[in-house]
Amino acid sequence: MRGARLVLLLVVFGCLVACGKAPLHHQEAFVFGTRVEVLIAGLDEAQARPAAAAVLREFDRLHRSYHAWKPSELSALNAAIAAGKRQAITPEMAALIVEAQRLTRLGEQLFDPGIGRLVSLWGFQSDELPAVLPDAGALAAWRAARPSILDLRIDDHYASSRQHQLALDFGGYLKGVALDRAASILRAQGVHDALINIGGNVMALGSKNGQSWRVGIQHPRQPGPMATLELQDGEAIGTSGDYQRYFKVDGRRYCHLLDPRSGQPVTHTQALSVLITPRANTGALSDVASKPLFIAGDDWPRLARAMAVEHVLRVDAEGRLQVSSAMQRRLVYVGGTPKALQIMP
């Protein structure tokens, strides 16, 4: 997410660098408002460097093309929708919208890239958060309109909507898309062993010189990871947390994760992580799925089953852990098994 103060998921670099004798190539950049990293194992510099550079160029292109608040193809579409006009869009954008609409339905609209105006009302589009509450009347008007990406129609390479309050923001979706693109680019260039980290959204390819890539899940209230796990080839993990982007007013925390039903920030969950096993668009699902499950609160097990997401770790507002049985089998807790732990069937 843009301007994240902390990455959600920490790659355990001590092991990555110290373990194994084969080379480990590392490149990083600042894209999507966060630090992104590409690690390639088992190849020399001459082979690894151009492959990693190609991934970072694609990240930069996606960021510039689909920025919701700066001049871009996406902001031009938002302006056209607000003006009640049709807008010509590229085949790539049409495909992104169609997939986002599918994921929105899958997540029962708790994930919805059509809430751009709500994000703006709360000020979360800015690098510097305002620490002021939005106008109550404006929030009520947004809730009454309840714009959704499902209001968008694509017809013959044009996009349009009768809902003029609709504004798209791909902030909770594009990093996952970028993970899938990175995997495709690396495989096309003959890279079979790599780790891609976009501000805590991580995908693994192959292994690290014969050993599984190990990553850590950030503790939402303490420095360092609360658990680690090994990622297998083609797996991806994503986390949503209230500790990334938030501000406080009168001692109350307001985080960037907004419930489209109420228009308010979520308060019942501190963090939620999902592990997605290999399938079509693994990266996109790893980025998206943590959002509706975070917003769903205690109802997350039902929604996770509906979304075919088996590996989930949730930390509720009181710091208690809920973990699916499949995720429990994958985790190694730092400092031992937590006392407040509920394993869900």
Side-chain angles (χ1 to χ4, degrees), residues 141-226:
W142 186 90
R143 286 194 301 268
R146 183 66 192 277
S148 168
I149 193 172
L150 302 181
D151 297 321
L152 195 62
R153 178 178 178 180
I154 299 176
D155 183 28
D156 193 26
H157 303 300
Y158 281 85
S160 62
S161 178
R162 295 180 180 178
Q163 174 53 270
H164 298 170
Q165 295 298 311
L166 172 63
L168 299 181
D169 181 353
F170 283 168
Y173 169 50
L174 198 58
K175 290 190 295 182
V177 171
L179 286 178
D180 291 323
R181 296 286 178 86
S184 295
I185 290 170
L186 291 174
R187 287 170 175 145
Q189 298 210 19
V191 176
H192 303 292
D193 302 295
L195 195 74
I196 310 117
N197 175 23
I198 306 179
N201 290 82
V202 178
M203 176 177 279
L205 300 183
S207 67
K208 181 184 60 64
N209 303 322
Q211 298 179 339
S212 298
W213 297 100
R214 179 170 290 277
V215 299
I217 300 176
Q218 172 67 43
H219 195 293
R221 293 294 184 269
Q222 299 175 16
M226 59 182 170

